[in-house]
Amino acid sequence: MAFEAEVIPLFIGGCIAVSLAELTAGWFLLKNAEEAWYRFVGHVLSMAIGLFFLIKCLFGDRLHLVQGIASIDHSVSIGLFGLCWMASVLFLLSALGKSNSQMK
């Protein structure tokens, strides 16, 4: 897939910035709910891992991250992104439920 050269570092930098902002906001919002905080960190980490697989799929050829047959590598990366995204959503829902019960 063709992209301008500056898209790759901007996308990667944007993913890192959003993840750090999310982690910081979560710390401020959940600092009194320790169990919810740990689950929220799980959400951010699993989403960051998922974004790695998405980046690998989108930009892996240009970043020399693709091994073997590109179409197979991209298919696996999309699948792993989906699994990490699902885990991220489950962690987030679990953190919300735990924070609701801890802050009552």
Side-chain angles (χ1 to χ4, degrees):
M1 196 176 314
F3 292 99
E4 295 293 325
E6 58 274 352
V7 168
I8 296 172
L10 285 173
F11 188 84
I12 293 171
C15 290
I16 292 169
V18 168
S19 295
L20 290 175
E22 185 178 20
L23 198 59
T24 303
W27 183 79
F28 282 112
L29 293 171
L30 298 171
K31 62 184 170 188
N32 296 328
E34 189 173 322
E35 282 188 51
W37 164 247
Y38 292 127
R39 294 170 191 213
F40 187 78
V41 170
H43 154 71
V44 174
L45 290 177
S46 59
M47 195 66 230
I49 294 168
L51 287 171
F52 166 78
F53 289 116
L54 182 62
I55 289 168
K56 186 177 180 217
C57 183
L58 291 174
F59 309 120
D61 295 330
R62 292 187 63 186
L63 297 174
H64 307 293
L65 297 174
V66 176
Q67 299 173 358
I69 301 169
S71 63
I72 294 172
D73 192 81
H74 295 325
S75 297
V76 171
S77 291
I78 288 293
L80 290 172
F81 166 73
L83 290 174
C84 290
W85 186 17
M86 179 187 68
S88 172
V89 169
L90 293 175
F91 272 123
L92 183 59
L93 292 174
S94 176
L96 288 172
K98 191 53 91 170
S99 69
N100 190 28
S101 67
Q102 284 183 335
M103 293 185 180
K104 284 186 177 181

